[in-house]
Amino acid sequence: MSMEEVEEAREEGSHGSMFEGGVEVRVLVVDDSPVDRRVVEGLLKRSGAMFQVIAVDSGKRAMEVLGLTEGKEAEQPTVDDPKIDIILTDYCMPEMTGYDLLKAVKEQSSQKPIPVIIMSSENEPQRISRCRAIGAEDYLLKPLQTNDVLRLRDYVRPKALSPKTGTKRKIAIEMMAENSGSERRPCLAGLAVA
Amino acid sequence: MSLMALREQLNVLVNSMFLEGLLDQQFRQLQMLQDASSPGFVAEVITLFCEDSERMLTELTKLLDQAVVDYQKVDAYVHQLKGSSSSVGAQNVKLACIQFKQFCEENNKEGCLSALNMVKHQYYSLRSKFDTMLQLEQRIQAYGSEQQN
Protein backbone atom coordinates (compact mmCIF):
# COMPACT_ATOMS: atom_id res chain seq x y z
CA MET A 1 0.00 0.00 0.00
CA SER A 2 1.36 3.35 -0.98
CA MET A 3 1.82 5.81 1.84
CA GLU A 4 1.67 8.72 -0.51
CA GLU A 5 -1.04 11.20 0.07
CA VAL A 6 -1.58 14.37 -1.87
CA GLU A 7 -4.57 16.51 -0.82
CA GLU A 8 -5.84 19.89 -1.89
CA ALA A 9 -8.32 21.46 0.53
CA ARG A 10 -10.04 24.73 -0.08
CA GLU A 11 -11.66 26.63 2.78
CA GLU A 12 -14.05 29.13 1.35
CA GLY A 13 -15.42 30.92 4.31
CA SER A 14 -18.01 28.34 5.16
CA HIS A 15 -18.36 29.71 8.67
CA GLY A 16 -19.46 33.07 7.46
CA SER A 17 -15.83 34.13 7.46
CA MET A 18 -15.00 37.69 6.55
CA PHE A 19 -12.17 36.53 4.23
CA GLU A 20 -14.34 36.83 1.18
CA GLY A 21 -12.30 37.86 -1.78
CA GLY A 22 -9.06 37.11 0.10
CA VAL A 23 -6.25 35.32 -1.69
CA GLU A 24 -5.51 31.91 -0.28
CA VAL A 25 -2.03 30.99 0.84
CA ARG A 26 -0.91 27.68 -0.68
CA VAL A 27 0.87 25.65 1.95
CA LEU A 28 2.78 22.51 1.18
CA VAL A 29 2.80 20.35 4.31
CA VAL A 30 5.48 17.65 4.34
CA ASP A 31 5.40 15.01 7.07
CA ASP A 32 5.80 11.25 7.04
CA SER A 33 3.37 10.91 9.96
CA PRO A 34 -0.23 10.66 8.76
CA VAL A 35 -1.42 11.81 12.18
CA ASP A 36 0.71 14.92 12.15
CA ARG A 37 -0.23 15.72 8.56
CA ARG A 38 -3.91 15.60 9.44
CA VAL A 39 -3.53 17.65 12.60
CA VAL A 40 -1.52 20.35 10.83
CA GLU A 41 -4.03 20.39 8.01
CA GLY A 42 -6.82 20.79 10.55
CA LEU A 43 -4.99 23.69 12.19
CA LEU A 44 -4.46 25.43 8.88
CA LYS A 45 -8.05 24.99 7.73
CA ARG A 46 -9.50 25.99 11.09
CA SER A 47 -7.54 29.23 11.12
CA GLY A 48 -9.85 30.67 8.50
CA ALA A 49 -10.39 30.76 4.77
CA MET A 50 -6.75 31.59 4.12
CA PHE A 51 -4.89 28.37 3.55
CA GLN A 52 -5.04 25.93 0.70
CA VAL A 53 -3.29 22.82 1.93
CA ILE A 54 -1.36 20.31 -0.11
CA ALA A 55 -0.06 17.50 2.11
CA VAL A 56 2.56 14.94 1.14
CA ASP A 57 4.29 12.20 3.09
CA SER A 58 7.89 12.60 2.00
CA GLY A 59 10.56 15.01 0.90
CA LYS A 60 10.75 13.21 -2.41
CA ARG A 61 7.06 13.74 -3.03
CA ALA A 62 7.43 17.38 -2.03
CA MET A 63 10.14 17.79 -4.65
CA GLU A 64 7.76 16.41 -7.26
CA VAL A 65 5.03 18.83 -6.24
CA LEU A 66 7.50 21.68 -6.38
CA GLY A 67 8.70 20.59 -9.77
CA LEU A 68 12.17 19.98 -8.44
CA THR A 69 14.01 16.89 -9.53
CA GLU A 70 17.68 16.15 -9.41
CA GLY A 71 19.55 18.73 -11.45
CA LYS A 72 16.44 20.60 -12.50
CA GLU A 73 14.89 23.79 -11.25
CA ALA A 74 11.23 24.36 -10.58
CA GLU A 75 9.18 24.87 -13.67
CA GLN A 76 7.12 27.83 -12.63
CA PRO A 77 5.22 30.15 -14.95
CA THR A 78 6.90 33.16 -13.36
CA VAL A 79 8.84 33.87 -10.19
CA ASP A 80 5.87 35.89 -8.99
CA ASP A 81 3.34 33.10 -9.46
CA PRO A 82 4.59 30.01 -7.65
CA LYS A 83 2.35 27.03 -7.17
CA ILE A 84 3.29 26.94 -3.50
CA ASP A 85 3.52 30.01 -1.28
CA ILE A 86 5.11 28.40 1.76
CA ILE A 87 6.49 25.02 2.79
CA LEU A 88 5.92 23.55 6.22
CA THR A 89 8.08 20.49 6.63
CA ASP A 90 8.90 18.04 9.36
CA TYR A 91 12.59 17.74 10.11
CA CYS A 92 12.89 14.00 10.80
CA MET A 93 11.79 12.02 7.80
CA PRO A 94 13.29 8.91 6.25
CA GLU A 95 15.42 9.13 3.10
CA MET A 96 15.03 12.85 2.53
CA THR A 97 14.92 14.88 5.71
CA GLY A 98 13.31 18.28 6.12
CA TYR A 99 16.81 19.72 6.17
CA ASP A 100 17.57 18.13 2.79
CA LEU A 101 14.33 19.55 1.41
CA LEU A 102 15.09 22.97 2.83
CA LYS A 103 18.53 22.91 1.22
CA ALA A 104 17.11 21.86 -2.15
CA VAL A 105 14.52 24.64 -2.10
CA LYS A 106 16.96 27.34 -1.06
CA GLU A 107 19.50 26.26 -3.64
CA GLN A 108 17.14 27.23 -6.42
CA SER A 109 18.46 30.05 -8.48
CA SER A 110 15.19 31.92 -8.10
CA GLN A 111 15.64 35.35 -6.53
CA LYS A 112 12.77 34.61 -4.20
CA PRO A 113 12.86 31.01 -3.06
CA ILE A 114 9.78 29.74 -1.33
CA PRO A 115 9.74 30.31 2.44
CA VAL A 116 10.40 27.11 4.37
CA ILE A 117 9.35 26.52 7.94
CA ILE A 118 10.78 23.52 9.78
CA MET A 119 8.71 21.55 12.29
CA SER A 120 10.31 19.31 14.87
CA SER A 121 9.54 17.71 18.22
CA GLU A 122 13.15 18.30 19.26
CA ASN A 123 14.20 21.59 20.77
CA GLU A 124 17.85 21.36 19.76
CA PRO A 125 19.72 24.65 19.40
CA GLN A 126 22.27 23.11 17.01
CA ARG A 127 19.55 21.80 14.76
CA ILE A 128 17.80 25.14 14.80
CA SER A 129 21.04 26.94 13.93
CA ARG A 130 21.73 24.57 11.06
CA CYS A 131 18.33 25.19 9.57
CA ARG A 132 18.47 28.93 10.01
CA ALA A 133 21.97 29.03 8.54
CA ILE A 134 20.75 27.75 5.19
CA GLY A 135 17.68 29.94 5.09
CA ALA A 136 14.83 28.42 7.06
CA GLU A 137 12.43 31.19 7.90
CA ASP A 138 11.42 29.63 11.20
CA TYR A 139 11.60 26.50 13.31
CA LEU A 140 8.45 25.40 15.10
CA LEU A 141 8.12 22.90 17.92
CA LYS A 142 5.63 20.11 17.49
CA PRO A 143 2.86 19.67 18.26
CA LEU A 144 1.95 22.89 16.48
CA GLN A 145 -0.50 25.29 18.04
CA THR A 146 -2.82 27.88 16.63
CA ASN A 147 -0.31 30.65 17.25
CA ASP A 148 2.24 28.88 15.06
CA VAL A 149 -0.15 28.71 12.16
CA LEU A 150 -0.99 32.38 12.46
CA ARG A 151 2.72 33.18 12.26
CA LEU A 152 2.96 31.53 8.86
CA ARG A 153 1.25 34.52 7.37
CA ASP A 154 4.26 36.65 8.31
CA TYR A 155 6.50 34.69 5.96
CA VAL A 156 4.36 34.84 2.86
CA ARG A 157 5.03 37.55 0.33
CA PRO A 158 2.75 40.55 0.92
CA LYS A 159 1.06 40.31 -2.48
CA ALA A 160 -0.15 36.78 -1.64
CA LEU A 161 -2.34 38.21 1.09
CA SER A 162 -5.36 40.22 0.24
CA PRO A 163 -6.09 43.35 2.27
CA LYS A 164 -9.75 42.45 1.96
CA THR A 165 -9.96 40.53 5.22
CA GLY A 166 -12.66 41.13 7.74
CA THR A 167 -11.87 41.93 11.32
CA LYS A 168 -14.53 39.80 12.97
CA ARG A 169 -13.05 36.41 12.03
CA LYS A 170 -9.50 37.63 12.61
CA ILE A 171 -10.38 38.64 16.16
CA ALA A 172 -12.06 35.26 16.74
CA ILE A 173 -8.99 33.43 15.47
CA GLU A 174 -6.60 35.42 17.62
CA MET A 175 -8.78 34.98 20.67
CA MET A 176 -8.59 31.25 20.05
CA ALA A 177 -4.85 31.60 19.82
CA GLU A 178 -4.71 33.46 23.11
CA ASN A 179 -6.71 30.72 24.78
CA SER A 180 -4.59 27.92 23.42
CA GLY A 181 -1.73 28.29 25.85
CA SER A 182 0.37 30.74 23.95
CA GLU A 183 2.71 31.07 26.93
CA ARG A 184 4.38 27.75 25.98
CA ARG A 185 5.40 28.98 22.59
CA PRO A 186 8.41 31.29 22.69
CA CYS A 187 9.86 32.12 19.32
CA LEU A 188 12.88 29.90 18.80
CA ALA A 189 14.38 31.85 15.99
CA GLY A 190 16.32 34.01 18.39
CA LEU A 191 18.35 31.01 19.57
CA ALA A 192 20.02 30.71 16.20
CA VAL A 193 21.01 34.33 15.97
CA ALA A 194 23.55 34.29 18.77
CA MET B 1 -30.72 7.64 25.76
CA SER B 2 -31.24 11.34 25.14
CA LEU B 3 -28.78 13.52 23.29
CA MET B 4 -28.02 15.41 26.48
CA ALA B 5 -27.34 12.18 28.33
CA LEU B 6 -25.02 11.01 25.56
CA ARG B 7 -23.07 14.26 25.65
CA GLU B 8 -22.82 14.05 29.40
CA GLN B 9 -21.55 10.49 29.16
CA LEU B 10 -18.93 11.58 26.64
CA ASN B 11 -17.83 14.49 28.83
CA VAL B 12 -17.50 12.23 31.85
CA LEU B 13 -15.45 9.76 29.83
CA VAL B 14 -13.10 12.40 28.42
CA ASN B 15 -12.67 14.04 31.82
CA SER B 16 -11.81 10.71 33.39
CA MET B 17 -9.20 10.14 30.70
CA PHE B 18 -7.59 13.45 31.63
CA LEU B 19 -7.65 12.57 35.30
CA GLU B 20 -6.04 9.20 34.67
CA GLY B 21 -3.27 10.81 32.63
CA LEU B 22 -4.33 9.09 29.43
CA LEU B 23 -4.84 12.48 27.77
CA ASP B 24 -3.26 15.90 28.10
CA GLN B 25 -4.19 19.38 26.92
CA GLN B 26 -3.15 18.66 23.35
CA PHE B 27 -6.36 16.63 23.06
CA ARG B 28 -8.31 19.77 23.93
CA GLN B 29 -6.56 21.45 21.00
CA LEU B 30 -7.87 18.74 18.71
CA GLN B 31 -11.37 19.20 20.07
CA MET B 32 -11.12 22.91 19.33
CA LEU B 33 -10.34 22.13 15.71
CA GLN B 34 -13.61 20.26 15.27
CA ASP B 35 -16.49 22.34 14.02
CA ALA B 36 -19.49 22.23 11.73
CA SER B 37 -17.34 22.08 8.61
CA SER B 38 -15.24 19.27 10.05
CA PRO B 39 -17.57 17.39 12.45
CA GLY B 40 -15.60 14.15 12.39
CA PHE B 41 -12.16 15.65 12.82
CA VAL B 42 -11.40 14.19 16.25
CA ALA B 43 -12.68 10.76 15.25
CA GLU B 44 -10.60 10.88 12.09
CA VAL B 45 -7.41 11.79 13.94
CA ILE B 46 -8.02 9.15 16.62
CA THR B 47 -8.58 6.52 13.96
CA LEU B 48 -5.42 7.52 12.12
CA PHE B 49 -3.49 7.44 15.38
CA CYS B 50 -4.71 3.97 16.28
CA GLU B 51 -3.97 2.52 12.87
CA ASP B 52 -0.53 4.07 12.75
CA SER B 53 0.31 3.10 16.32
CA GLU B 54 -0.62 -0.53 15.81
CA ARG B 55 1.46 -0.66 12.68
CA MET B 56 4.45 0.69 14.56
CA LEU B 57 3.95 -1.59 17.55
CA THR B 58 3.91 -4.55 15.19
CA GLU B 59 7.16 -3.43 13.60
CA LEU B 60 8.76 -2.81 16.97
CA THR B 61 7.79 -6.26 18.15
CA LYS B 62 9.40 -7.80 15.07
CA LEU B 63 12.57 -5.75 15.45
CA LEU B 64 13.02 -6.65 19.10
CA ASP B 65 12.39 -10.29 18.30
CA GLN B 66 15.57 -10.42 16.24
CA ALA B 67 18.73 -11.94 17.65
CA VAL B 68 20.62 -8.82 16.71
CA VAL B 69 18.54 -5.72 17.27
CA ASP B 70 18.79 -2.76 14.93
CA TYR B 71 18.45 -0.05 17.55
CA GLN B 72 18.49 2.68 14.94
CA LYS B 73 15.32 1.34 13.36
CA VAL B 74 13.77 0.76 16.76
CA ASP B 75 14.56 4.32 17.75
CA ALA B 76 13.06 5.66 14.53
CA TYR B 77 9.75 3.93 15.18
CA VAL B 78 9.69 4.95 18.82
CA HIS B 79 10.44 8.52 17.80
CA GLN B 80 7.55 8.53 15.39
CA LEU B 81 5.18 6.96 17.91
CA LYS B 82 6.24 9.50 20.49
CA GLY B 83 5.53 12.24 17.99
CA SER B 84 2.09 11.08 16.99
CA SER B 85 1.06 10.38 20.57
CA SER B 86 2.19 13.88 21.45
CA SER B 87 0.14 15.29 18.58
CA VAL B 88 -3.09 13.68 19.75
CA GLY B 89 -2.50 14.26 23.44
CA ALA B 90 -1.90 10.62 24.33
CA GLN B 91 0.13 11.52 27.39
CA ASN B 92 0.87 8.13 28.96
CA VAL B 93 1.83 6.63 25.62
CA LYS B 94 4.14 9.56 24.98
CA LEU B 95 5.79 9.21 28.38
CA ALA B 96 6.28 5.48 27.86
CA CYS B 97 7.92 6.24 24.51
CA ILE B 98 10.32 8.67 26.15
CA GLN B 99 11.43 5.91 28.52
CA PHE B 100 11.70 3.54 25.58
CA LYS B 101 13.99 5.93 23.72
CA GLN B 102 16.38 6.00 26.65
CA PHE B 103 16.73 2.23 26.53
CA CYS B 104 17.31 2.44 22.78
CA GLU B 105 20.11 4.87 23.28
CA GLU B 106 21.69 2.47 25.76
CA ASN B 107 21.23 -0.45 23.34
CA ASN B 108 19.55 -2.22 26.24
CA LYS B 109 17.47 -5.05 24.84
CA GLU B 110 15.85 -6.07 28.10
CA GLY B 111 15.02 -2.50 28.82
CA CYS B 112 13.56 -2.08 25.34
CA LEU B 113 11.42 -5.18 25.69
CA SER B 114 10.11 -3.99 29.02
CA ALA B 115 9.49 -0.52 27.59
CA LEU B 116 7.67 -1.97 24.60
CA ASN B 117 5.36 -3.86 26.94
CA MET B 118 4.67 -0.67 28.83
CA VAL B 119 3.95 1.25 25.64
CA LYS B 120 1.58 -1.49 24.53
CA HIS B 121 -0.13 -1.49 27.91
CA GLN B 122 -0.63 2.26 27.81
CA TYR B 123 -1.71 2.24 24.18
CA TYR B 124 -4.32 -0.50 24.59
CA SER B 125 -5.71 1.15 27.72
CA LEU B 126 -6.12 4.31 25.71
CA ARG B 127 -7.46 2.47 22.69
CA SER B 128 -10.24 0.92 24.75
CA LYS B 129 -11.38 4.33 25.95
CA PHE B 130 -11.04 5.80 22.45
CA ASP B 131 -13.31 3.06 21.13
CA THR B 132 -15.99 4.02 23.65
CA MET B 133 -15.47 7.68 22.82
CA LEU B 134 -15.93 7.09 19.11
CA GLN B 135 -19.08 5.05 19.69
CA LEU B 136 -20.55 7.88 21.75
CA GLU B 137 -19.52 10.43 19.11
CA GLN B 138 -21.20 8.40 16.42
CA ARG B 139 -24.42 8.18 18.42
CA ILE B 140 -24.34 11.92 19.02
CA GLN B 141 -23.73 12.59 15.33
CA ALA B 142 -26.60 10.26 14.46
CA TYR B 143 -28.90 12.28 16.73
CA GLY B 144 -27.86 15.41 14.93
CA SER B 145 -28.59 13.82 11.53
CA GLU B 146 -32.03 12.65 12.69
CA GLN B 147 -32.95 16.09 13.88
CA GLN B 148 -31.95 17.61 10.54
CA ASN B 149 -34.16 15.16 8.59
Side-chain angles (χ1 to χ4, degrees):
Chain A
M1 182 191 298
S2 168
M3 287 190 62
E4 291 189 353
E5 175 185 351
V6 177
E7 299 174 17
E8 287 192 7
R10 183 176 296 276
E11 178 74 57
E12 293 181 348
S14 58
H15 314 291
S17 161
M18 301 289 284
F19 287 140
E20 294 169 8
V23 176
E24 290 185 338
V25 173
R26 291 159 294 197
V27 185
L28 176 62
V29 175
V30 191
D31 201 315
D32 61 320
S33 165
V35 174
D36 288 0
R37 278 201 306 278
R38 189 64 188 95
V39 171
V40 170
E41 184 184 6
L43 266 172
L44 289 165
K45 287 166 72 175
R46 184 69 176 87
S47 69
M50 283 193 66
F51 294 110
Q52 179 185 347
V53 180
I54 299 115
V56 297
D57 67 353
S58 68
K60 182 181 170 188
R61 194 69 184 95
M63 297 279 279
E64 290 171 13
V65 171
L66 294 165
L68 295 173
T69 53
E70 286 185 30
K72 292 185 181 179
E73 293 180 7
E75 293 175 1
Q76 297 175 356
T78 66
V79 169
D80 292 328
D81 186 22
K83 293 177 184 148
I84 299 293
D85 295 309
I86 190 166
I87 300 167
L88 185 54
T89 178
D90 187 29
Y91 184 94
C92 285
M93 293 187 291
E95 294 180 15
M96 185 176 196
T97 67
Y99 181 84
D100 296 330
L101 177 61
L102 163 66
K103 196 158 176 262
V105 170
K106 297 301 181 183
E107 279 175 353
Q108 282 191 83
S109 62
S110 164
Q111 290 182 349
K112 297 178 182 178
I114 303 169
V116 179
I117 311 296
I118 302 288
M119 302 183 281
S120 177
S121 57
E122 306 301 319
N123 183 4
E124 286 183 20
Q126 280 189 338
R127 180 182 289 186
I128 298 169
S129 297
R130 274 182 82 213
C131 293
R132 296 276 296 178
I134 62 168
E137 270 66 18
D138 208 343
Y139 184 105
L140 302 176
L141 272 188
K142 294 170 90 174
L144 264 59
Q145 306 295 313
T146 310
N147 278 341
D148 299 317
V149 168
L150 293 176
R151 274 163 56 183
L152 291 184
R153 298 180 300 185
D154 298 338
Y155 300 113
V156 179
R157 294 170 230 183
K159 71 173 286 181
L161 297 175
S162 163
K164 297 177 187 175
T165 55
T167 55
K168 186 175 180 180
R169 178 72 172 175
K170 185 177 177 185
I171 290 171
I173 290 167
E174 295 190 348
M175 280 177 67
M176 192 167 88
E178 285 171 7
N179 292 334
S180 67
S182 56
E183 64 278 0
R184 68 177 283 275
R185 195 62 68 185
C187 175
L188 298 176
L191 282 173
V193 176
Chain B
M1 189 179 290
S2 72
L3 180 59
M4 192 180 294
L6 282 172
R7 284 187 174 144
E8 178 61 20
Q9 202 174 347
L10 181 59
N11 281 341
V12 167
L13 172 64
V14 173
N15 287 339
S16 75
M17 292 170 77
F18 277 99
L19 285 172
E20 289 174 42
L22 293 172
L23 297 177
D24 61 27
Q25 287 305 311
Q26 179 61 23
F27 188 78
R28 292 282 186 219
Q29 293 288 323
L30 293 189
Q31 290 179 308
M32 287 170 62
L33 295 180
Q34 181 159 299
D35 60 14
S37 71
S38 191
F41 178 75
V42 173
E44 188 182 342
V45 172
I46 286 173
T47 302
L48 273 173
F49 170 71
C50 290
E51 288 170 355
D52 204 38
S53 297
E54 288 173 31
R55 175 186 65 85
M56 287 189 276
L57 289 173
T58 300
E59 293 302 318
L60 283 166
T61 303
K62 283 183 199 170
L63 285 169
L64 286 172
D65 206 28
Q66 302 298 312
V68 178
V69 176
D70 185 338
Y71 287 101
Q72 217 169 2
K73 281 188 180 171
V74 172
D75 185 71
Y77 279 116
V78 176
H79 178 80
Q80 190 165 8
L81 182 55
K82 179 176 82 92
S84 59
S85 59
S86 177
S87 293
V88 304
Q91 180 174 255
N92 280 356
V93 177
K94 179 187 76 178
L95 292 173
C97 287
I98 290 171
Q99 181 68 50
F100 198 158
K101 275 181 77 73
Q102 287 180 344
F103 286 124
C104 282
E105 285 165 17
E106 295 165 7
N107 287 4
N108 181 339
K109 185 169 182 176
E110 287 305 311
C112 284
L113 284 167
S114 169
L116 175 60
N117 282 339
M118 177 54 76
V119 170
K120 284 180 176 177
H121 170 73
Q122 295 295 349
Y123 167 74
Y124 285 108
S125 296
L126 177 65
R127 165 74 195 265
S128 169
K129 298 281 175 87
F130 271 161
D131 284 344
T132 306
M133 188 192 295
L134 292 184
Q135 284 167 22
L136 287 170
E137 288 263 9
Q138 280 175 355
R139 290 173 70 183
I140 291 168
Q141 294 288 337
Y143 246 109
S145 301
E146 282 172 18
Q147 285 180 347
Q148 282 176 3
N149 289 338

